[in-house]
Amino acid sequence: MSRNVLYAVAASLLAIVAGAAHAQTWPTKPITLVVTYPAGGGADTMARLIAPKLGEALGQPVIIENKPGASGQIGASAVAKAAPDGYTLMLDASSFAVNPALFPRLPYDSDKAFRPVGVIALFPNVLLVNPSVPAASVKELVALAKAKKNGVSYASSGNGSAQHLAGAMFESAAGVDMLHVPYKGGAPALNDVIGGQVPVFFGNLASTLQHVQAGKLKPLAVTSARRSPILPAVPTMAEAGVAGYEVYEWNVLFAPAGTSEAIIGKLAAALQKTLDAADVKARIAQLGGEIQTARPEAAQQFVRQQTTLWARLVRERGISVD
């Protein structure tokens, strides 16, 4: 064996030993949790819910840093460039899986730049209509939509948004053509549906529940595989006759690619302990979410499946952000 090969083997062994030693002592300082959306939104709510208990489980504070912009790209780009030492993490949302299809020139490779640690929770949407709409069920709404192409419209917070994609998937699954009306934000879109200017909205269950309870919006179906405990009388899309339709907004905890398996394991264990906490479970349930299990391999498979799902829909429906 040549001297150069011996040096290379020795260097590799030293790197492995050093990595193992680092993982044993990690963490020794505060951890930064980058949230790719602004304070006050859904992703930020989840981050602030889990950060304190995650810090307790790890023995170091977890400090939230909001880096919003460009559908999460700004924050994700920063984390992709961070050292894979376990001290910079990311909490992202379902748009993470949509961005590769909508933005072909992302400043990072979504599949290769990050390591999912665990899915925190899934949040179903709910198909909502203004009470004036003459449809008491999904079947009746589909009949209205089939009566005239683009005769029924639905509002969203913008092209490529979660509401837009949920509506586009509904069109494909139900075999209808509806008119998409994009707004600059979810609030004005929702306000116009409540006001009757646009009849249909695919809304986040947590943020629209108060309007359902007040009678300002009529729920026709939830987009989850099972009925929501919050709206137990509302059927799932499958029960309502739209087979194969299942849509969630979600949050996943990520680490930069290259983070050691030992650190990933510690993070997953701390996240699981956090998700097992009674107050965390209660809050996620209150928001209409389905709490998940912190399994890195399952999380990676889930994110890839979601990325494939939305890439196919974006391609088939010709969706763009322009």
Side-chain angles (χ1 to χ4, degrees):
M1 186 178 291
S2 69
R3 182 175 297 179
N4 287 340
V5 172
L6 285 171
Y7 284 154
V9 171
S12 297
L13 289 172
L14 285 172
I16 292 171
V17 171
H22 169 68
Q24 286 178 355
T25 58
W26 178 91
T28 60
K29 62 181 181 180
I31 296 164
T32 298
L33 177 57
V34 174
V35 180
T36 57
Y37 287 88
D44 182 68
T45 297
M46 282 299 102
R48 295 182 190 279
L49 177 64
I50 70 167
K53 292 193 179 297
L54 196 62
E56 289 175 13
L58 293 170
Q60 290 289 340
V62 174
I63 301 168
I64 294 171
E65 183 176 343
N66 295 91
K67 284 185 175 292
S71 298
Q73 293 181 55
I74 291 176
S77 183
V79 175
K81 297 172 185 174
D85 55 9
Y87 291 106
T88 302
L89 306 175
M90 177 175 77
L91 193 144
D92 211 331
S94 44
S95 59
F96 178 89
V98 179
N99 284 347
L102 290 178
F103 305 97
R105 296 183 180 180
L106 288 174
Y108 48 82
D109 185 321
S110 295
D111 188 49
K112 296 179 180 179
F114 306 95
R115 177 69 190 277
V117 176
V119 182
I120 296 167
L122 307 179
F123 296 91
N125 286 345
V126 56
L127 169 54
L128 301 158
V129 296
N130 183 279
S132 65
V133 174
S137 67
V138 172
K139 184 178 180 180
E140 292 179 2
L141 179 66
V142 169
L144 283 176
K146 285 186 174 181
K148 181 181 179 183
K149 183 177 180 179
N150 293 332
V152 174
S153 57
Y154 67 98
S156 85
S157 60
N159 288 325
S161 65
Q163 298 94 1
H164 180 197
L165 294 172
M169 182 173 282
F170 179 79
E171 291 180 89
S172 291
V176 297
D177 289 302
M178 302 194 300
L179 180 64
H180 172 227
V181 184
Y183 286 75
K184 292 183 178 179
L190 181 59
N191 286 339
D192 270 11
V193 176
I194 292 172
Q197 285 85 356
V198 183
V200 179
F201 189 66
F202 291 81
N204 180 283
L205 183 56
S207 61
T208 57
L209 181 63
Q210 59 180 319
H211 303 299
V212 171
Q213 293 172 332
K216 296 179 180 179
L217 293 171
K218 182 167 56 177
L220 299 186
V222 291
T223 65
S224 48
R226 296 181 297 275
R227 293 195 182 200
S228 170
I230 294 180
L231 294 174
V234 179
T236 66
M237 282 288 193
E239 290 174 330
V242 183
Y245 187 100
E246 192 175 342
V247 174
Y248 301 92
E249 294 183 38
W250 44 262
N251 297 114
V252 169
L253 181 67
F254 293 89
T259 303
S260 73
E261 290 299 323
I263 290 178
I264 293 293
K266 283 188 175 183
L267 279 169
L271 179 60
Q272 187 59 59
K273 187 175 181 180
T274 298
L275 297 179
D276 287 339
D279 56 341
V280 172
K281 285 183 175 181
R283 179 56 176 156
I284 289 176
Q286 185 182 36
L287 293 170
E290 299 177 12
I291 204 160
Q292 300 297 292
T293 303
R295 294 184 293 148
E297 295 307 320
Q300 188 167 51
Q301 183 179 1
F302 172 79
V303 172
R304 285 175 175 169
Q305 179 269 331
Q306 288 285 295
T307 303
T308 300
L309 170 71
W310 295 120
R312 182 172 63 248
L313 182 73
V314 167
R315 183 176 62 252
E316 290 176 353
R317 304 295 302 185
I319 296 171
S320 71
V321 293
D322 297 330

